[in-house]
Amino acid sequence: MVEKQDDAANIDKMSFEQALHELESIVAKLESGSVELEVSIDLYERGEKLKNRCEALLKKATARVEKITLSSDGEAKKTEPLDVE
């Protein structure tokens, strides 16, 4: 049980690129079909946590993106949150 908590804490510290890279590795292992059932289940659970981490980081990054409004002379006059919908 402690191992799973430590595992989740490690994922929470990963960058987007680290989480995505590991997630891609897990997907490749699962798609190969050469992994035992119990290991597949563990990999799937970790993959789900990694996917959630990637989604959270993407959502956070999207919230930070701003649309810059330019004045007629080409100067930036204001910024506003990006409308993602």
Side-chain angles (χ1 to χ4, degrees):
M1 187 78 152
V2 172
E3 183 178 318
K4 291 199 182 236
Q5 289 174 346
D6 289 344
D7 189 44
N10 290 336
I11 290 173
D12 288 342
K13 294 178 184 176
M14 286 184 170
S15 70
F16 176 82
E17 291 78 11
Q18 291 170 322
L20 183 60
H21 178 71
E22 186 174 343
L23 180 58
E24 289 171 340
S25 174
I26 287 173
V27 169
K29 288 176 186 175
L30 292 173
E31 286 180 340
S32 75
S34 61
V35 183
E36 294 178 11
L37 179 61
E38 285 300 316
V39 175
S40 293
I41 293 169
D42 290 341
L43 286 172
Y44 183 86
E45 289 173 348
R46 182 161 177 86
E48 186 68 24
K49 292 174 187 172
L50 290 163
K51 178 189 75 78
N52 291 339
R53 173 70 176 161
C54 287
E55 287 176 345
L57 290 171
L58 281 174
K59 185 176 180 179
K60 184 177 178 181
T62 300
R64 293 180 59 198
V65 173
E66 294 181 325
K67 178 174 64 176
I68 299 173
T69 305
L70 300 178
S71 63
S72 59
D73 63 357
E75 294 293 318
K77 63 180 183 179
K78 69 176 184 175
T79 62
E80 56 189 58
L82 176 67
D83 183 13
V84 293
E85 292 184 31

